[in-house]
């Protein structure tokens, strides 16, 4: 039988909803987000500007879409470390071939390459039996190597019709 102490009874009577909410696993993440949002709003003069919030929401949407797929993999006990490299490679491919062909076709090609890499990862994991961690780590390094060879290790900036490597 559980004993009720005076502090437990006082806390439950004073804040009954807080005690129940505090037990949620999401409570820590939500409260940390709110604290950080308030700190940045107070100390960052341009944080609450329309331009900044639009940029933040656009970035969060992209990361959220990728996170959904990664979450499905992690729930099933697998990992995909090549997501960031495939994401960067597909974007680079879209920009490079988008200068020479119509954008919708360039988008379809870039998405097909990204899907192909994911399919290849899945086939190696399922058919060969290697752990997904090893396969996707190798694919990540392979794609990064391709990008390094194409760009010469320099940051690439898109300016209108030109793709200019920075120095």
């Amino acid at each position: 039988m559980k004993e009720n102490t005076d502090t437990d009874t006082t806390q439950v009577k004073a804040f009954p909803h807080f005690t129940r909410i505090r037990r949620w696993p999401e409570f820590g993440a939500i409260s940390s987000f709110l604290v950080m949002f308030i700190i940045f709003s107070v100390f960052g003069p341009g944080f609450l500007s329309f331009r900044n919030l639009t940029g933040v929401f656009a970035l969060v949407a992209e990361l959220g879409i990728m996170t959904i797929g990664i979450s499905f993999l992690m729930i099933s006990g697998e990992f995909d470390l090549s997501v960031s490299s495939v994401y960067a490679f597909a974007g680079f491919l879209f920009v490079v071939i988008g200068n020479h062909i119509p954008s919708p076709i360039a988008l379809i090609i870039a998405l097909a390459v990204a899907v192909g890499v994911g399919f290849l990862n899945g086939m190696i994991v399922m058919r060969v039996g290697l752990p997904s961690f090893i396969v996707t780590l190798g694919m990540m390094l392979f794609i990064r190597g391709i990008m390094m060879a194409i760009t010469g290790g320099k940051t690439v900036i898109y300016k209108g019709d030109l793709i200019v490597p920075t120095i």
Side-chain angles (χ1 to χ4, degrees):
M1 186 173 194
K2 184 177 177 183
E3 285 185 31
N4 280 341
T5 61
D6 292 336
T7 56
D8 289 342
T9 309
T10 307
Q11 186 178 18
V12 171
K13 288 180 182 176
F15 302 105
H17 298 295
F18 181 72
T19 304
R20 191 171 0 141
I21 292 172
R22 192 180 61 191
R23 292 183 186 149
W24 293 350
E26 300 87 4
F27 177 75
I30 292 171
S31 58
S32 298
F33 169 75
L34 290 175
V35 167
M36 294 302 292
F37 189 84
I38 291 169
I39 289 172
F40 282 116
S41 298
V42 170
F43 294 113
F47 182 73
L48 288 178
S49 68
F50 179 75
R51 182 176 179 178
N52 183 52
L53 291 179
T54 303
V56 168
F57 289 137
L59 181 64
V60 167
E62 292 173 5
L63 291 175
I65 291 169
M66 287 192 304
T67 303
I68 290 170
I70 293 170
S71 297
F72 285 132
L73 278 173
M74 293 185 82
I75 288 169
S76 67
E78 300 294 336
F79 294 94
D80 190 351
L81 300 175
S82 65
V83 171
S84 60
S85 296
V86 173
Y87 179 71
F89 184 64
F92 178 76
L93 188 63
F94 172 74
V95 170
V96 169
I97 64 176
N99 285 334
H100 306 291
I101 62 175
S103 292
I105 296 172
L107 177 65
I108 291 169
I109 292 171
L111 289 175
V113 168
V115 168
V117 170
F119 183 76
L120 180 62
N121 282 340
M123 290 303 292
I124 293 171
V125 169
M126 297 305 293
R127 299 282 185 201
V128 178
L130 290 172
S132 62
F133 182 83
I134 300 299
V135 172
T136 58
L137 178 65
M139 186 61 74
M140 176 189 75
L141 295 172
F142 177 73
I143 292 175
R144 285 187 181 185
I146 289 173
M147 292 291 294
M148 186 77 74
I150 293 171
T151 62
K154 297 178 180 158
T155 304
V156 176
I157 299 173
Y158 176 70
K159 292 183 179 181
D161 291 336
L162 299 173
I163 299 173
V164 182
T166 60
I167 296 174

